[in-house]
């Protein structure tokens, strides 16, 4: 009897980087939950962001079916990856199995997460403070990555999250660093988008900085740029940003 063919590849650093880029570079994703009462799988679309440790964030209304589902059962899947030209199934995508944690308004992290999310989605400021809206941290437990034909991988939570001792210190300086770069170094930010994203546009703004890279926004476009290696000390951020202007 023939041995079953193993279609899952061994997870390598290239797969990890693709997975992180798909998640951190997404403006939205599809969410899958179990509908209360019926138990049927229920899918919807949500705006997404990330916490400074790479954990996906969503902002949802209590009036939506998926929010009620998360309250009843915190298990949920998030699908990231936009199709391009040609066969939609030829383009990379990742399904992340998560456990949802609601962020209360009086949680010490709420205002920071709100600021991070709205920097990425400015229009969300119109409704983020409505009483029925809440942020959820979608804690990754595992993921299935399809990087294209014959490129299937299974990833653990540690493959997706950012691990660095610099996270607490970077968390403190992130707002000022973003403000400084956008106000005084706009040309450098545009060069990041040109070098790493092949963008011909100007007017890019940094909307997020973490120990693994930076997020740029320009209108409805979002660009994720990963550092070659994680930042281990917050004091090294200036050098990391300078490197981005020189890296081809």
């Amino acid at each position: 009897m023939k041995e079953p063919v193993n279609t899952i590849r061994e997870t390598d650093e290239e797969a990890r980087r693709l997975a992180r880029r798909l998640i951190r570079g997404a403006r939205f994703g599809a969410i899958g939950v179990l509908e209360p009462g019926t138990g049927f799988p229920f899918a919807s679309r949500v705006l997404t962001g990330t916490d400074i440790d790479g954990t996906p964030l969503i902002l949802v209304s209590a009036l939506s079916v998926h929010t009620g589902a998360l309250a009843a059962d915190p298990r949920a899947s998030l699908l990231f990856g936009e199709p391009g030209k040609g066969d939609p199934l030829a383009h990379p995508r990742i399904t992340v199995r998560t456990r949802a944690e609601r962020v209360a308004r009086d949680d010490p992290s709420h205002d920071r997460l709100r600021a991070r999310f709205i920097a990425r989605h400015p229009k969300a400021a119109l409704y983020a403070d409505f009483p029925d809206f809440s942020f959820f941290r979608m804690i990754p437990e595992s993921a299935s990555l399809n990087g294209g034909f014959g490129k299937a991988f299974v990833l653990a939570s540690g493959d997706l999250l950012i691990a660095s001792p610099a996270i607490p210190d970077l968390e403190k300086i992130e707002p000022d660093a973003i403000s400084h770069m956008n106000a005084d170094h706009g040309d450098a930010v545009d060069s990041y988008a040109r070098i790493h994203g092949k963008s011909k546009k100007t007017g890019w703004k940094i909307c997020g900085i973490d120990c693994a890279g930076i997020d740029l926004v320009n209108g409805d476009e979002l660009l994720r740029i990963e550092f070659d290696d994680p930042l281990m000390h917050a004091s090294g951020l200036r050098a990391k940003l300078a490197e981005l202007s020189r890296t081809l």
Side-chain angles (χ1 to χ4, degrees):
M1 192 172 179
K2 259 189 174 182
E3 288 288 327
V5 178
N6 185 4
T7 59
I8 305 299
R9 290 191 178 189
E10 184 176 348
T11 300
D12 55 17
E13 189 56 31
E14 183 180 352
R16 294 185 186 97
R17 289 181 71 87
L18 174 58
R20 294 192 295 257
R21 193 165 62 247
L22 287 170
I23 296 168
R24 297 171 197 168
R27 297 179 62 245
F28 62 89
I31 188 170
V33 296
L34 295 175
E35 187 177 29
T38 69
F40 268 92
F42 181 90
S44 188
R45 180 180 293 159
V46 289
L47 292 183
T48 60
T50 56
D51 198 353
I52 200 164
D53 66 352
T55 299
L57 297 174
I58 62 173
L59 173 64
V60 290
S61 168
L63 304 178
S64 66
V65 172
H66 46 276
T67 306
L70 294 177
D73 185 337
R75 294 175 300 170
S77 290
L78 292 171
L79 171 65
F80 299 98
E82 295 185 52
K85 293 181 179 178
D87 184 353
L89 298 183
H91 297 274
R93 65 269 189 195
I94 185 169
T95 298
V96 187
R97 301 172 191 88
T98 71
R99 191 165 294 272
E101 291 184 356
R102 182 176 174 274
V103 182
R105 297 280 171 114
D106 59 356
D107 189 291
S109 68
H110 180 274
D111 290 350
R112 179 182 61 79
L113 296 178
R114 180 188 182 280
R116 270 193 136 249
F117 195 90
I118 289 176
R120 180 180 291 228
H121 301 289
K123 293 178 182 177
L126 297 173
Y127 51 81
D129 298 325
F130 287 1
D132 60 298
F133 274 83
S134 297
F135 289 100
F136 283 81
R137 296 178 85 247
M138 308 299 287
I139 311 299
E141 297 201 345
S142 64
S144 295
L145 170 67
N146 189 318
F149 182 75
K151 296 180 180 179
F153 304 87
V154 174
L155 291 88
S157 60
D159 295 320
L160 308 176
L161 297 175
I162 299 167
S164 169
I167 288 177
D169 290 335
L170 185 62
E171 184 180 297
K172 295 173 186 174
I173 68 171
E174 181 193 17
D176 288 342
I178 291 174
S179 178
H180 170 68
M181 289 298 299
N182 288 338
D184 299 337
H185 299 285
D187 289 345
V189 177
D190 282 338
S191 76
Y192 301 158
R194 183 176 64 253
I195 294 170
H196 300 277
K198 299 180 181 179
S199 173
K200 296 179 180 180
K201 291 185 175 182
T202 59
W204 287 91
K205 301 290 184 184
I206 296 178
C207 64
I209 301 176
D210 55 57
C211 291
I214 63 174
D215 302 318
L216 307 185
V217 66
N218 191 335
D220 290 333
E221 291 188 55
L222 182 69
L223 175 62
R224 172 68 183 183
I225 301 173
E226 293 265 307
F227 298 143
D228 287 337
D229 46 71
L231 186 68
M232 291 291 110
H233 302 280
S235 59
L237 177 60
R238 183 187 296 270
K240 282 286 186 187
L241 294 177
E243 287 175 10
L244 292 181
S245 293
R246 298 192 296 266
T247 305
L248 296 178

